[in-house]
Every structure is written in structure tokens, then in C-alpha cells.
Amino acid sequence: MSKTTEQVRKTLARRYRAEKRFRAMGMASVLFGLMAVVVLFTDIIGKGHSAFVETYIQLEIRWDQDELYIDDPTDPDELAYADYDALIKNALRERFPSVEGRLEKRNLYKLVSSGAGYTLRDRLAENPQLLGTTETLWLLADDDVDRYLKLGQEAQESARLPEQARAWVDELVQEGSTDTRWNASFFTHGDSREPEQAGVWGAVAGSFFTMLVTLALAFPIGVAAAIYLEEFAPKNRFTDFIEVNINNLAAVPSIIFGLLGLAIFINLFGMPRSVPVVGGLVLTLMTLPTIIISARASIKSVPPSIREAALGLGASRMQVVMHHVLPLALPGMLTGAIIGMAQALGETAPLLMIGMVAFIVDIPGGPLSPATVLPVQIYLWADSPEASFVSMTSAAIMVLLGFLIMMNTLAVVLRKRLERRW
Amino acid sequence: METAPNFTDTGNGPASIPAAGDKGDNTMDADIRYPENTVGKPLVDDAKMRMRDVNVFYGDKQAIFDVSLDIGNNEVIALIGPSGCGKSTFLRSLNRMNDTIDICSVKGELTLDEQNIYDPKLDVVELRARVGMVFQKPNPFPKSIYDNVAYGPRLHGLASKRYELDEIVENSLRKAGLWDEVKDRLDQPGTGLSGGQQQRLCIARTISVSPEVVLMDEPCSALDPIATAKIEELIDELSSQYTIAIVTHSMQQAARVSHRTAYFHLGRLIEVNETNKVFTSPDHQLTEAYITGRFG
């Protein structure tokens, strides 16, 4: 056996051990990452899943014209401003006749959501012939009731519901007069101070309009800048300076962009506060460096031989870019753009600065109507004192994560699709 | 990166100098190795392209020194020389491909049919349509075979009707000797062909715009001997219609395909002669050293 072989055999075991250690370390890192994701998701889903259902209470509603103070049932104005809460109060008093005293009665009335009156109004507007009849209706319960019922036996002690009210609710439950139903309003309503009436739709619409503005500005500007810098700009000190600054811009804290937007778009240009257009502009500034950097990288990865071939045939620089470079670089650009957009979708800080943190109940109708966005909505709810907002917050996070996962999947799919063209 | 050391540097230069000196030539004077003027017959009467006192610089570095050369009508001229001698740089200045390199500047007089090709008034697009180029590595576009060949004609609007374009594509592929191999799969990607086929596709693409001069930059360096033989055969056929300048590292190839051969050494054009003469009795000792394999 030669000396080399001997030496090699001696070190072999050590080398294999080192390799094994290295692999184990890699596995451990991956597992750690996965665990973090699993913990995050179980926590969010564990807290948030209960927000997708809400409690209803069955009550006997008497559509009494006098109680409603309606003189002329054909007048829509009178129907709109009638006292529907009185009907609910009556129904509750009839359901629990033993309740006496102002305070107790107030507690009793709080069993039903303050929004239930509007449900009755809408119902009567659709069926005016109901006036004077009596029917059994399921009405949305107050969030304290909802919370009380969703908590486990032991945890119920901590609920905010007063002692008396718990007895009433228990009674309702025993009678089968409570029900949990799919919380459709969570996906169709705007924000509200009452957790049982609040929804994410306003924030989703706001996010949509903001992203629309961001995409419409950031993608074309970013791609044009990248193409100019890569294909046309002379390599000199000035373009080096630009490159350094673009990279710097990518690392600027996002709140700075918010302050910039506040100073320039709102104070200097006098644009309105809280609107998706300004939000989109600010996020465009924030997303541009990401898009430019990724677009430049994908332009760089187009083999120079393709450019030479086209140039050699007599194509102008512009034609080389349009016919060859852009189609080949597009998958990379799109991926970069979508990742940039996903980043922008989850951005909160700069939007706080330009007033998109306002409490807005209406669903925004366009990029110029006041709105908030999903991450800011999460921030707002996380800040709210009502216990039910805890689960609402987690549910909103689930919605946001859903959108992020969708966008990232789209990025992967697009890249695969477009890259498969040879 | 092309490099061209100064006269005084050449004494310490790589391999070339001692090799030339060993030949029994006692004079170590640089003038002997670098003739004042190119040896042989660099100029011809019936010239397609004329180059006079061409100097090419990459920033501060000079890559080509005072090269004067004529390329005759319908001739195949081979440019040979060791790596880094500037033959590719010279070739690329003939259709201004060097324009794409920011730091590269070309001085001197270069004409195509008596027209200065570095005239600012001359459109580079027109020049490149007249002087086509085939590159070292096959570089088909990631498009179909048809679209690869049709790209040039479409670009310059050479065909207004579909059947005219079809005709151009077929003719070009026939001339490149590729038609029979690909006629049933014109819609397939050009990148799916073998290396030799890809290079012939690139030649077809180049001749599709009917250039007057075809520049070839080591067209066979990435190909196996069979594909190389096919390309050489093709160059032979094309020489009846086109003027061809070919850069090659293979002296056998130069000997097989070219009418005249130009030998470059460290940015200087040393010798131009009939190919037969260059490979049998070269006029200059550097040429002889190179073709006998002393260096390069």
C-alpha cells in the first residue's frame, strides 16, 4: 500500500464525519425555519379561526307600527328613521320578563349587537307587509356574548360579560336560542368599533387600489430605468453614482418614505390625506429600488451573444432590447416586481405617515376615496381594547397571508411558465 | 482582453521572441521582427474593403498597430495568429461591432466600396446589413428555426409577403446546407439543434439579408471535425457569391478554405500572401515560427 493511499484512508473517516456534521447542521437550520413557520401559523390560526363564525340569538320580533313611530308606512324616510332598536328591546324584555331596573335593563339590551337594528330596517324596507305581524328572527349577538360563548368553560370567568348577562345567555343556550353561523360580514363590511360588525373588505379594497397605483407606476418606471441603465447608459462616474444611490434607496427604512410622501405629496402638492393614490405613490418610491435591481439582474443574465447576433444582423439597440432582451428578461422582471409588490402589500409604516391609519368605515370606491390597507387594519385592530378584536386581528393576518402566498405562488408560476419557452 | 505590449516590452514577452531568435538569426533588433511595413502583398487591385493605417485602442491600451489591408472581391481571406494578437478585434472593426464596447476606439481609414465605414453620416444599421457576421459560439435566438432566419429580412423589410419571406428562408437554409435537415421542423426552436447545425443556422441567418461581406470569427472552434468539414465546404461554396474574412486558430482550416492568408502578431499585421505561399514558404520568420508550431 502506497503512502498516499495510507494517508488518504486515515483521513477518510474524518472527512465523512465532517460531511455528516455539515449535513446535520443544514437539516437543523431547515427544521428550525419550518418550526418557526408552523408555530406562527398555529398561533395565528388558533387565535383567528373563531373570528370566522359569530353568534346569533333567536328573538320574537313584533313589527309594531306604534313602537316604531311610523305614521305613514309608505314613506321611505319614515321607515329609514324609525326606532328599530325599540323592537329589539321589547323582544328582549318579553323574553326575560323578570328583569327590572335601569342598569339591569341596559345590560339586557346589550345582549344584541347595536347593528341588529339596521338588519331589521333593511328587512322591513324589503317586505313592508311585515308591519303588524310577529315573527321569530335570528339577530346578531353582541361581541361580549359571542366572546363568552366561544371561550372554554374555565376561561369564561375572564369574559367581560356581566354576571347577570351570563345567566341569561346560559338560559338562551339551553333553550337552543343561540346559534353560531358563518361570519360573512367579516368579508363584506368595512371597519367598525363593534367587533361583531367589523370586516376586512374596506381594507382589502384599499389595499387593492393602493397596489393598483403602485404596480401601474413602479413596474414601467422600474423596467425603463433598468433597461436604460443596463443597455443605453454610458458607464461613467454619474451612472455609478446612480447605481450606488439606487442600492442605498433599497435599504432606507420605509417610514422615511412615508415622511417624504407627507412632505411632498400632501404638504407640497396638496394631495388629499388617507387616499390610496398617495399611498400608492409612496409605496412606488419604496418598491422602485427592488424592481430596478431585480430587473437589472435579469437583463444582465441575458447572454451577450444574443445581443451580438441581433446587432450583427443590423438591429438597432432599441430593436435588440425590444425583440430579444426584454422577452428573455421578462420572467425575472415579473418575479422581482411581484416580490416587490408583496413587500409593498405588507408595508405599514409609511402609510401611517400619510394618514391611511384613519378610522374609515366606508368601503373605498376608488383610488381617490379615503381608505386604509390590510396591514394598517391589523395594526388598528391589534390596538383596540375589545377582546374580540384579538381573534379579528389574527383573522385579518390570515387574509393578508393568503394574499401574500397567492402573489408569491403567482411569481413562481409565471417564472416557470415563461421560462419554459426554450 | 487584447493586449499589445510596446516595442521595448517585447523582449520580455511571452514565448514569441526567443523562438524567433533561436532560428539562428543573431539580430535581436525589434525592427527585424516587426517589419516597418507588412511583408507580402496586403493590397490588391480589385478591393471590396480597404483598410489603411488602422489603429484600435481599448482605453489606453493599443490593440492594433497601423494595419493596412485590402480584402478583394469574392475572396476568402484568413486571419491567423496567436491568441490575443488582435485578429478578432480587427475583424470586429470591419462592421463596427466594436462600437458596442464603450472604451474601444478605432482610428484610420476603413472603406467598403470606397465608402468610409466610420463616417458619422453612414448608418451602422446599413453597414451591418451589408457586412454580416458569424460568431465564435453558435448563438441562435431562442425562437423557431424559421424565425431565426426570417429575423434579418423582417428587420430590414426585405419581404412584404409571406411567400417572399418563405422563399428567403428556404434559400438561405439551402445555401447553408441545412434545408434538408430542418425543412420538416421549421417551427421548432433553433436552440434544439446540434452545435454544428446551430452554427449553420447562424450562417443562414447571416446570409438571409444578402450581405456583401461575411465576417467569420472562429466559426468552427466549438464544433467537432465532421461539423467543421461541413462548414468549410459551405465557406467554399459561399465564396462564389460573398467576400469572406475568416478568423481561425486552425492553420489547416486556413489552408483549406482561404485564398489569401494574413498573419497577425501582437497587434501588427506581419505578413499577407497567397495562402499557398504562406504555408509553404513564408516571407517572414515570425510567420514561419507560427506555422511550424513554435508558438501560438
PDB file of all heavy atoms in Angstrom, chain B residues 172-187:
ATOM      1  N   SER B 172     -31.856  30.674 -47.946  1.00  0.00           N
ATOM      2  CA  SER B 172     -30.747  30.827 -47.016  1.00  0.00           C
ATOM      3  C   SER B 172     -30.381  29.497 -46.383  1.00  0.00           C
ATOM      4  O   SER B 172     -29.206  29.150 -46.252  1.00  0.00           O
ATOM      5  CB  SER B 172     -31.115  31.825 -45.912  1.00  0.00           C
ATOM      6  OG  SER B 172     -31.604  33.002 -46.474  1.00  0.00           O
ATOM      7  N   LEU B 173     -31.413  28.733 -46.005  1.00  0.00           N
ATOM      8  CA  LEU B 173     -31.137  27.445 -45.369  1.00  0.00           C
ATOM      9  C   LEU B 173     -30.509  26.471 -46.373  1.00  0.00           C
ATOM     10  O   LEU B 173     -29.646  25.676 -46.017  1.00  0.00           O
ATOM     11  CB  LEU B 173     -32.418  26.850 -44.784  1.00  0.00           C
ATOM     12  CG  LEU B 173     -32.885  27.501 -43.480  1.00  0.00           C
ATOM     13  CD1 LEU B 173     -34.277  27.035 -43.106  1.00  0.00           C
ATOM     14  CD2 LEU B 173     -31.922  27.191 -42.334  1.00  0.00           C
ATOM     15  N   ARG B 174     -30.929  26.573 -47.628  1.00  0.00           N
ATOM     16  CA  ARG B 174     -30.321  25.713 -48.657  1.00  0.00           C
ATOM     17  C   ARG B 174     -28.853  26.063 -48.833  1.00  0.00           C
ATOM     18  O   ARG B 174     -27.993  25.183 -48.885  1.00  0.00           O
ATOM     19  CB  ARG B 174     -31.045  25.905 -49.989  1.00  0.00           C
ATOM     20  CG  ARG B 174     -32.222  24.971 -50.182  1.00  0.00           C
ATOM     21  CD  ARG B 174     -32.722  25.030 -51.618  1.00  0.00           C
ATOM     22  NE  ARG B 174     -34.080  24.530 -51.726  1.00  0.00           N
ATOM     23  CZ  ARG B 174     -34.397  23.243 -51.629  1.00  0.00           C
ATOM     24  NH1 ARG B 174     -33.446  22.340 -51.456  1.00  0.00           N
ATOM     25  NH2 ARG B 174     -35.646  22.860 -51.706  1.00  0.00           N
ATOM     26  N   LYS B 175     -28.569  27.380 -48.927  1.00  0.00           N
ATOM     27  CA  LYS B 175     -27.175  27.795 -49.105  1.00  0.00           C
ATOM     28  C   LYS B 175     -26.324  27.356 -47.929  1.00  0.00           C
ATOM     29  O   LYS B 175     -25.153  27.034 -48.077  1.00  0.00           O
ATOM     30  CB  LYS B 175     -27.096  29.321 -49.232  1.00  0.00           C
ATOM     31  CG  LYS B 175     -27.428  29.835 -50.613  1.00  0.00           C
ATOM     32  CD  LYS B 175     -27.096  31.316 -50.680  1.00  0.00           C
ATOM     33  CE  LYS B 175     -27.921  32.006 -51.749  1.00  0.00           C
ATOM     34  NZ  LYS B 175     -27.973  33.446 -51.535  1.00  0.00           N
ATOM     35  N   ALA B 176     -26.925  27.370 -46.733  1.00  0.00           N
ATOM     36  CA  ALA B 176     -26.170  26.960 -45.549  1.00  0.00           C
ATOM     37  C   ALA B 176     -26.144  25.446 -45.396  1.00  0.00           C
ATOM     38  O   ALA B 176     -25.599  24.928 -44.423  1.00  0.00           O
ATOM     39  CB  ALA B 176     -26.774  27.604 -44.305  1.00  0.00           C
ATOM     40  N   GLY B 177     -26.765  24.731 -46.376  1.00  0.00           N
ATOM     41  CA  GLY B 177     -26.748  23.280 -46.340  1.00  0.00           C
ATOM     42  C   GLY B 177     -27.514  22.691 -45.181  1.00  0.00           C
ATOM     43  O   GLY B 177     -27.203  21.614 -44.681  1.00  0.00           O
ATOM     44  N   LEU B 178     -28.538  23.419 -44.735  1.00  0.00           N
ATOM     45  CA  LEU B 178     -29.274  22.955 -43.558  1.00  0.00           C
ATOM     46  C   LEU B 178     -30.713  22.585 -43.912  1.00  0.00           C
ATOM     47  O   LEU B 178     -31.416  21.951 -43.142  1.00  0.00           O
ATOM     48  CB  LEU B 178     -29.251  24.071 -42.496  1.00  0.00           C
ATOM     49  CG  LEU B 178     -29.624  23.707 -41.069  1.00  0.00           C
ATOM     50  CD1 LEU B 178     -28.676  22.668 -40.530  1.00  0.00           C
ATOM     51  CD2 LEU B 178     -29.617  24.943 -40.180  1.00  0.00           C
ATOM     52  N   TRP B 179     -31.140  22.974 -45.131  1.00  0.00           N
ATOM     53  CA  TRP B 179     -32.551  22.846 -45.501  1.00  0.00           C
ATOM     54  C   TRP B 179     -33.062  21.420 -45.347  1.00  0.00           C
ATOM     55  O   TRP B 179     -34.089  21.185 -44.714  1.00  0.00           O
ATOM     56  CB  TRP B 179     -32.749  23.340 -46.937  1.00  0.00           C
ATOM     57  CG  TRP B 179     -34.151  23.153 -47.430  1.00  0.00           C
ATOM     58  CD1 TRP B 179     -34.575  22.248 -48.366  1.00  0.00           C
ATOM     59  CD2 TRP B 179     -35.313  23.871 -47.008  1.00  0.00           C
ATOM     60  NE1 TRP B 179     -35.924  22.366 -48.559  1.00  0.00           N
ATOM     61  CE2 TRP B 179     -36.404  23.357 -47.736  1.00  0.00           C
ATOM     62  CE3 TRP B 179     -35.532  24.895 -46.091  1.00  0.00           C
ATOM     63  CZ2 TRP B 179     -37.704  23.830 -47.570  1.00  0.00           C
ATOM     64  CZ3 TRP B 179     -36.835  25.363 -45.930  1.00  0.00           C
ATOM     65  CH2 TRP B 179     -37.896  24.830 -46.659  1.00  0.00           C
ATOM     66  N   ASP B 180     -32.332  20.465 -45.889  1.00  0.00           N
ATOM     67  CA  ASP B 180     -32.833  19.088 -45.861  1.00  0.00           C
ATOM     68  C   ASP B 180     -32.953  18.551 -44.441  1.00  0.00           C
ATOM     69  O   ASP B 180     -33.783  17.687 -44.174  1.00  0.00           O
ATOM     70  CB  ASP B 180     -31.903  18.183 -46.685  1.00  0.00           C
ATOM     71  CG  ASP B 180     -32.029  18.493 -48.176  1.00  0.00           C
ATOM     72  OD1 ASP B 180     -33.133  18.925 -48.580  1.00  0.00           O
ATOM     73  OD2 ASP B 180     -31.034  18.337 -48.911  1.00  0.00           O
ATOM     74  N   GLU B 181     -32.135  19.075 -43.555  1.00  0.00           N
ATOM     75  CA  GLU B 181     -32.161  18.556 -42.181  1.00  0.00           C
ATOM     76  C   GLU B 181     -33.282  19.159 -41.362  1.00  0.00           C
ATOM     77  O   GLU B 181     -33.734  18.562 -40.389  1.00  0.00           O
ATOM     78  CB  GLU B 181     -30.810  18.836 -41.490  1.00  0.00           C
ATOM     79  CG  GLU B 181     -29.675  17.986 -42.046  1.00  0.00           C
ATOM     80  CD  GLU B 181     -28.303  18.531 -41.654  1.00  0.00           C
ATOM     81  OE1 GLU B 181     -28.063  18.668 -40.449  1.00  0.00           O
ATOM     82  OE2 GLU B 181     -27.486  18.806 -42.562  1.00  0.00           O
ATOM     83  N   VAL B 182     -33.718  20.371 -41.719  1.00  0.00           N
ATOM     84  CA  VAL B 182     -34.679  21.042 -40.843  1.00  0.00           C
ATOM     85  C   VAL B 182     -36.010  21.384 -41.514  1.00  0.00           C
ATOM     86  O   VAL B 182     -36.889  21.947 -40.875  1.00  0.00           O
ATOM     87  CB  VAL B 182     -34.092  22.354 -40.264  1.00  0.00           C
ATOM     88  CG1 VAL B 182     -32.829  22.072 -39.472  1.00  0.00           C
ATOM     89  CG2 VAL B 182     -33.820  23.356 -41.364  1.00  0.00           C
ATOM     90  N   LYS B 183     -36.175  21.031 -42.799  1.00  0.00           N
ATOM     91  CA  LYS B 183     -37.352  21.539 -43.514  1.00  0.00           C
ATOM     92  C   LYS B 183     -38.666  21.067 -42.884  1.00  0.00           C
ATOM     93  O   LYS B 183     -39.699  21.715 -43.043  1.00  0.00           O
ATOM     94  CB  LYS B 183     -37.284  21.148 -44.989  1.00  0.00           C
ATOM     95  CG  LYS B 183     -37.340  19.661 -45.243  1.00  0.00           C
ATOM     96  CD  LYS B 183     -37.228  19.365 -46.726  1.00  0.00           C
ATOM     97  CE  LYS B 183     -37.132  17.868 -46.949  1.00  0.00           C
ATOM     98  NZ  LYS B 183     -36.622  17.546 -48.278  1.00  0.00           N
ATOM     99  N   ASP B 184     -38.634  19.920 -42.177  1.00  0.00           N
ATOM    100  CA  ASP B 184     -39.873  19.413 -41.568  1.00  0.00           C
ATOM    101  C   ASP B 184     -40.116  19.972 -40.173  1.00  0.00           C
ATOM    102  O   ASP B 184     -41.133  19.679 -39.562  1.00  0.00           O
ATOM    103  CB  ASP B 184     -39.820  17.882 -41.473  1.00  0.00           C
ATOM    104  CG  ASP B 184     -39.657  17.265 -42.834  1.00  0.00           C
ATOM    105  OD1 ASP B 184     -40.244  17.814 -43.787  1.00  0.00           O
ATOM    106  OD2 ASP B 184     -38.930  16.260 -42.949  1.00  0.00           O
ATOM    107  N   ARG B 185     -39.187  20.714 -39.663  1.00  0.00           N
ATOM    108  CA  ARG B 185     -39.363  21.220 -38.282  1.00  0.00           C
ATOM    109  C   ARG B 185     -38.910  22.672 -38.161  1.00  0.00           C
ATOM    110  O   ARG B 185     -38.190  23.039 -37.247  1.00  0.00           O
ATOM    111  CB  ARG B 185     -38.595  20.340 -37.290  1.00  0.00           C
ATOM    112  CG  ARG B 185     -37.181  20.011 -37.728  1.00  0.00           C
ATOM    113  CD  ARG B 185     -36.466  19.214 -36.678  1.00  0.00           C
ATOM    114  NE  ARG B 185     -35.143  18.835 -37.123  1.00  0.00           N
ATOM    115  CZ  ARG B 185     -34.101  18.760 -36.334  1.00  0.00           C
ATOM    116  NH1 ARG B 185     -34.215  19.041 -35.075  1.00  0.00           N
ATOM    117  NH2 ARG B 185     -32.933  18.370 -36.793  1.00  0.00           N
ATOM    118  N   LEU B 186     -39.389  23.462 -39.113  1.00  0.00           N
ATOM    119  CA  LEU B 186     -39.004  24.876 -39.113  1.00  0.00           C
ATOM    120  C   LEU B 186     -39.571  25.618 -37.899  1.00  0.00           C
ATOM    121  O   LEU B 186     -39.064  26.669 -37.519  1.00  0.00           O
ATOM    122  CB  LEU B 186     -39.500  25.547 -40.394  1.00  0.00           C
ATOM    123  CG  LEU B 186     -38.754  25.153 -41.659  1.00  0.00           C
ATOM    124  CD1 LEU B 186     -39.425  25.764 -42.878  1.00  0.00           C
ATOM    125  CD2 LEU B 186     -37.302  25.571 -41.598  1.00  0.00           C
ATOM    126  N   ASP B 187     -40.648  25.068 -37.318  1.00  0.00           N
ATOM    127  CA  ASP B 187     -41.269  25.770 -36.190  1.00  0.00           C
ATOM    128  C   ASP B 187     -40.669  25.348 -34.854  1.00  0.00           C
ATOM    129  O   ASP B 187     -41.110  25.789 -33.802  1.00  0.00           O
ATOM    130  CB  ASP B 187     -42.782  25.531 -36.186  1.00  0.00           C
ATOM    131  CG  ASP B 187     -43.111  24.062 -36.183  1.00  0.00           C
ATOM    132  OD1 ASP B 187     -42.213  23.264 -36.518  1.00  0.00           O
ATOM    133  OD2 ASP B 187     -44.247  23.706 -35.849  1.00  0.00           O
TER     134      ASP B 187
END
